[in-house]
Amino acid sequence: MAVDILIGLQWGDEGKGKIVDVLAPTYDIVARFQGGPNAGHTLEFEGTKHVLHQIPSGIFHPHIKNIIGNGVVLDPIVFRTEMQKLTDRGVDAAKNLFISKKASLILPSHRILDRVSEEALGSGKIGSTLKGIGPTYQDKIGRVGLRVGDILADDFQERYNKLVERHRKTVEFYGQQLELGEQEQAFFDAVNYLKSLNLVDSEYMINEALKNGKRILAEGAQGSLLDIDFGTYPFVTSSTTLVAGACTGLGVAPRHIGEVYGIFKAYCTRVGSGPFPTELLDEVGEEIRQAGREFGSTTGRPRRCGWVDLPSLKYSIMLNGVTQLNMMKADVLTEFDTIHICTHYKLPSGEITDKVPHSLEEGSVKPIYTELPGWKVDLNQIDSVEELPEAFKNYLVFVEEHLQVPITIVSVGPDRKSTLKRDAMNVA
Ligand code: GDP
Ligand code: IMO
Ligand code: MG
């Protein structure tokens, strides 16, 4: 058996939570491999909306084991609140949740470091979610971080104090004081709660499951264009958001990777700072934002909106080895007479390319668009791909032919049920 992986191909918020939940019934295990509470994955079913931050999106299916892998940075306080919400909704999450002892711990001081670092960057700020992600990964790579397994050690408090002292000095370097207040007590309470859960060597759990023929789905967080190496650096997150991250973030050998689902919106969004070639700063962008309810699931910030960008999708497909595409939120574009699709970039030299250059800095590439007629039909009311309007099918096939990967899922609404499966493979 292999591990299938679902990856966002844009700047996050493509609808990963929804599709993991849709695909989950055919899997035995769903595992998160990177990121942390910066993620906000939304699932909607039976009239209720759920937003998950650190807990994998298979949690609503009682037969599925959900793993928080070693590559994740876990905030115990946020985690405890998430678990409480699930309990309030009648979900017994503790039974089906397994947390890697090697996952990194986000301390309250990491969140403060995130804030002071952003303040110091001023207008060059990353637009971080301020959840402490960057500082926690810095400590991991700097080999001074704390991990979930450490909470079981007798000297955990001492190790915690030592790390907080480092953080205190850094905060002072920025000319501020580290004031933890009630957060410290909340952290230790949450750590105690964490001790009552299944803390495991998840690399063994996953590899044994693979050996026993179990089906595993790895759930990406963020998106490929936020990847630490290949994203729009420095306006990225601090983890490997690509398929490669699933190998290191779960302990799965590359030869065990199976299907790679690449998920993208029929348009494009981004939260936080950084380049966005197809961004629409006009009323069209605002219309997409309103129609798509494009406000952050984690921070509530308005998402920047623009047309779909095929060069960046090709880039993400290449980096991830995508085998199937999922097109999300086409229903949002219903009102438009014309749909724009960016097929190429024009570089400052005048060269036309479909490759993503080293830097996408604001204004360095100009998108070149093809325009196709809109469909003007509410896709949310449609139950099968056959019933899709011709104009939409033309759009779908145009995108598919450019990307050379079959689009096997078309999502036409936030609900679990608004999902059309598609066998047709128009790709040569
Ligand atoms: P994720 O971070 O990739 O899981 O995505 P988010 O949950 O942050 O953002 C996706 C948003 O779009 C959520 O509010 C979903 O409920 C919603 N959504 C997902 N698929 C569709 C769709 O096909 N149509 C519409 N209109 N909304 C969708
Ligand atoms: P999901 O999993 C969209 C963005 C932030 C910021 C940058 C760095 O829901 O798709 P960080 O807090 O990671 O240091 O922020 O990355 N970002 C996301 N944008 N969706 C996400 O997750 C994101 N996680 C981080 O807005 O620009
Ligand atoms: Mg999200």
Side-chain angles (χ1 to χ4, degrees):
M1 273 294 162
V3 176
D4 296 341
I5 308 181
L6 183 131
I7 295 281
L9 300 181
Q10 296 163 321
W11 281 287
D13 303 328
E14 296 89 349
K16 297 176 291 291
K18 169 181 166 164
I19 296 299
V20 169
D21 172 62
V22 166
L23 296 174
T26 65
Y27 287 92
D28 302 294
I29 291 178
V30 174
R32 277 277 306 267
F33 57 88
Q34 45 71 232
N38 49 350
H41 294 182
T42 314
L43 292 73
E44 275 190 50
F45 52 88
E46 292 156 15
T48 309
K49 177 171 157 173
H50 306 268
V51 182
L52 297 170
H53 299 287
Q54 305 180 102
I55 297 173
S57 299
I59 201 70
F60 296 99
H61 298 272
H63 77 280
I64 292 181
K65 290 190 164 78
N66 289 268
I67 297 180
I68 297 180
N70 56 282
V72 169
V73 286
L74 185 81
D75 184 327
I77 302 177
V78 177
F79 174 74
R80 196 181 179 193
T81 309
E82 261 192 280
M83 289 294 280
Q84 188 58 51
K85 272 196 191 139
L86 289 173
T87 309
D88 293 347
R89 290 180 172 187
V91 181
D92 182 8
K95 183 166 69 80
N96 286 333
L97 191 62
F98 300 82
I99 304 167
S100 168
K101 288 185 196 162
K102 294 189 175 72
S104 296
L105 283 176
I106 302 179
L107 274 47
S109 45
H110 282 126
R111 268 187 272 124
I112 293 172
L113 281 172
D114 210 355
R115 178 175 55 73
V116 296
S117 160
E118 282 284 78
E119 284 170 9
L121 285 170
S123 61
K125 71 175 183 185
I126 309 298
S128 148
T129 59
L130 302 179
K131 301 291 177 192
I133 307 297
T136 307
Y137 277 119
Q138 277 176 36
D139 279 352
K140 171 179 174 172
I141 301 300
R143 300 164 297 183
V144 294
L146 292 172
R147 309 205 286 187
V148 167
D150 296 337
I151 67 175
L152 305 172
D154 292 338
D155 64 348
F156 177 66
Q157 175 81 51
E158 252 167 68
R159 296 192 208 181
Y160 167 89
N161 291 345
K162 209 167 146 191
L163 187 54
V164 170
E165 273 322 298
R166 285 179 74 99
H167 293 168
R168 190 179 305 283
K169 287 190 195 120
T170 312
V171 171
E172 283 167 7
F173 167 81
Y174 283 109
Q176 299 203 31
Q177 295 298 312
L178 185 74
E179 279 161 24
L180 294 169
E182 290 168 1
Q183 286 295 300
E184 197 152 58
Q185 190 54 50
F187 175 78
F188 279 99
D189 288 349
V191 159
N192 268 335
Y193 168 69
L194 208 51
K195 281 184 192 164
S196 70
L197 299 182
N198 303 307
L199 309 183
V200 297
D201 296 314
S202 59
E203 60 279 23
Y204 281 106
M205 190 176 162
I206 288 174
N207 281 287
E208 276 156 25
L210 272 175
K211 221 184 259 173
N212 293 329
K214 301 288 183 204
R215 282 175 52 78
I216 302 172
L217 178 63
E219 171 179 2
Q222 289 75 58
S224 304
L225 302 176
L226 288 170
D227 178 74
I228 184 71
D229 282 276
F230 294 99
T232 44
Y233 191 87
F235 302 102
V236 292
T237 191
S238 297
S239 64
T240 298
T241 60
L242 306 178
V243 158
C247 294
T248 53
L250 293 175
V252 172
R255 71 189 174 92
H256 292 310
I257 303 302
E259 287 296 319
V260 179
Y261 299 94
I263 175 166
F264 69 104
K265 283 176 187 166
Y267 49 95
C268 197
T269 65
R270 165 162 214 172
V271 253
S273 328
F276 181 176
T278 61
E279 182 170 18
L280 291 160
L281 297 165
D282 54 9
E283 65 281 5
V284 179
E286 186 55 34
E287 221 176 301
I288 295 178
R289 185 174 305 114
Q290 294 305 331
R293 287 188 267 147
E294 294 296 354
F295 297 89
S297 323
T298 298
T299 58
R301 293 178 290 178
R303 295 177 182 146
R304 300 157 62 193
C305 298
W307 296 116
V308 77
D309 176 344
L310 298 187
S312 70
L313 283 176
K314 282 185 189 170
Y315 176 69
S316 299
I317 289 168
M318 172 184 81
L319 295 169
N320 288 300
V322 171
T323 58
Q324 302 184 36
L325 288 166
N326 304 165
M327 182 192 275
M328 311 298 289
K329 301 190 84 161
D331 55 298
V332 169
L333 301 180
T334 297
E335 293 304 321
F336 293 101
D337 294 326
T338 308
I339 309 293
H340 289 57
I341 306 169
C342 167
T343 58
H344 294 82
Y345 299 141
K346 187 171 182 184
L347 302 179
S349 63
E351 187 194 331
I352 309 283
T353 181
D354 67 348
K355 294 198 166 66
V356 175
H358 158 251
S359 167
L360 274 180
E361 249 166 58
E362 250 92 356
S364 71
V365 302
K366 208 173 156 299
I368 297 176
Y369 292 108
T370 292
E371 294 180 27
L372 290 183
W375 36 92
K376 309 285 271 185
V377 173
D378 183 1
L379 300 182
N380 193 234
Q381 301 305 314
I382 287 174
D383 297 321
S384 72
V385 281
E386 290 74 32
E387 292 167 52
L388 287 165
E390 261 339 280
F392 176 70
K393 284 186 190 158
N394 290 339
Y395 170 75
L396 196 75
V397 170
F398 182 92
V399 170
E400 192 174 53
E401 282 180 355
H402 266 76
L403 300 178
Q404 287 292 297
V405 180
I407 298 175
T408 55
I409 290 178
V410 180
S411 172
V412 291
D415 194 89
R416 210 185 243 177
K417 288 193 183 136
S418 305
T419 311
L420 311 179
K421 302 255 168 85
R422 184 166 172 271
D423 299 325
M425 298 218 182
N426 297 294
V427 178

